[in-house]
Amino acid sequence: MNSFLLLGIIIWIYMLSVLKRAKLTAFSFIVGSVGMFFILMALSMPYWIWFFTHAVINGVDWLGSITHMSQCFPKYGIVYINNNLNPVTMTIDYECSGIIETAAYTSLLAFYPTYSRQEKVFYLVFGTLWIYLSNIIRLMIVILMVHFGGASLFYLAHSILGRIIFYFLVITLYYNVFTYSRLSQGIYQIFKERIKRT
């Protein structure tokens, strides 16, 4: 572990303890979430990045093998998009893995003051799967557009439309977890009731 990272973790823990003793919940949430995000990002290299990129490319590979619109090379993180005019090669890397969004979500959830531990675990699993599937949907939209429309649509599909859809889905998750569910206990309550019925 990097000595700067270790020093940062010690300072972060000390700041959290001071804020907790002072009962400054809002500042504790901000410092905790921001600090945890940077710690998770620092610890994600290289193993978690590898895991996330391979999870995404394997999901795309599975869907691509069903539709025959793309071919994946998981070892290299490459997606080869088939089309009649000129095929396109897309690389699944750090930015496409969804690790930044997952780390941000996890950090906010860990310090969100009103959820119990069971609720946090539930929303952690639910949110991570939601972000993963949203990322797969985004990449499949890119593949669909390039497969049917050609290489000229790659920029529009990848950098604009795909990102708009992905961030719309992520914002929907944030709204349901941090706003709506807090008001009505929506998703978690539904989950608990269904578990009780079975």
Side-chain angles (χ1 to χ4, degrees):
M1 183 182 291
N2 187 331
S3 57
F4 289 114
L5 177 60
L6 187 59
L7 179 64
I9 291 171
I10 292 167
I11 292 169
W12 175 68
I13 291 170
Y14 175 73
M15 288 174 65
L16 280 175
S17 69
V18 169
L19 292 169
K20 199 163 197 164
R21 284 194 305 263
K23 296 182 181 175
L24 297 170
T25 309
F27 288 108
S28 181
F29 172 72
I30 293 166
V31 169
S33 298
V34 171
M36 186 173 185
F37 172 76
F38 284 112
I39 291 167
L40 287 175
M41 292 310 297
L43 293 175
S44 69
M45 296 179 194
Y47 303 109
W48 281 107
I49 293 171
W50 178 89
F51 176 78
F52 273 75
T53 53
H54 278 72
V56 168
I57 201 162
N58 284 321
V60 171
D61 187 29
W62 180 73
L63 288 171
S65 66
I66 292 170
T67 61
H68 302 291
M69 287 190 244
S70 65
Q71 184 179 2
C72 294
F73 302 95
K75 184 177 179 183
Y76 305 106
I78 294 174
V79 179
Y80 181 81
I81 306 170
N82 304 318
N83 64 39
N84 293 332
L85 304 170
N86 45 348
V88 173
T89 302
M90 176 173 63
T91 305
I92 307 295
D93 59 3
Y94 178 74
E95 283 186 29
C96 291
S97 68
I99 195 164
I100 297 170
E101 294 80 6
T102 306
Y105 173 77
T106 302
S107 302
L108 289 170
L109 184 62
F111 289 91
Y112 197 64
T114 54
Y115 283 137
S116 67
R117 280 197 179 120
Q118 291 90 351
E119 289 171 315
K120 285 183 181 181
V121 169
F122 170 79
Y123 283 121
L124 176 64
V125 172
F126 176 80
T128 302
L129 287 172
W130 182 278
I131 292 169
Y132 171 74
L133 292 173
S134 300
N135 206 10
I136 297 292
I137 290 168
R138 175 180 77 90
L139 293 171
M140 287 309 296
I141 286 168
V142 173
I143 290 168
L144 275 166
M145 287 181 69
V146 171
H147 178 74
F148 290 111
S152 60
L153 290 179
F154 180 76
Y155 178 78
L156 173 69
H158 184 268
S159 300
I160 299 171
L161 189 61
R163 286 188 182 177
I164 288 171
I165 290 169
F166 176 71
Y167 285 114
F168 173 78
L169 291 170
V170 171
I171 289 167
T172 302
L173 169 70
Y174 275 60
Y175 172 74
N176 278 294
V177 172
F178 297 116
T179 305
Y180 178 74
S181 285
R182 191 63 245 150
L183 297 174
S184 67
Q185 294 296 313
I187 300 168
Y188 184 69
Q189 283 302 99
I190 293 167
F191 177 76
K192 275 176 60 176
E193 288 169 13
R194 291 205 178 159
I195 292 292
K196 284 180 186 176
R197 287 182 200 157
T198 57

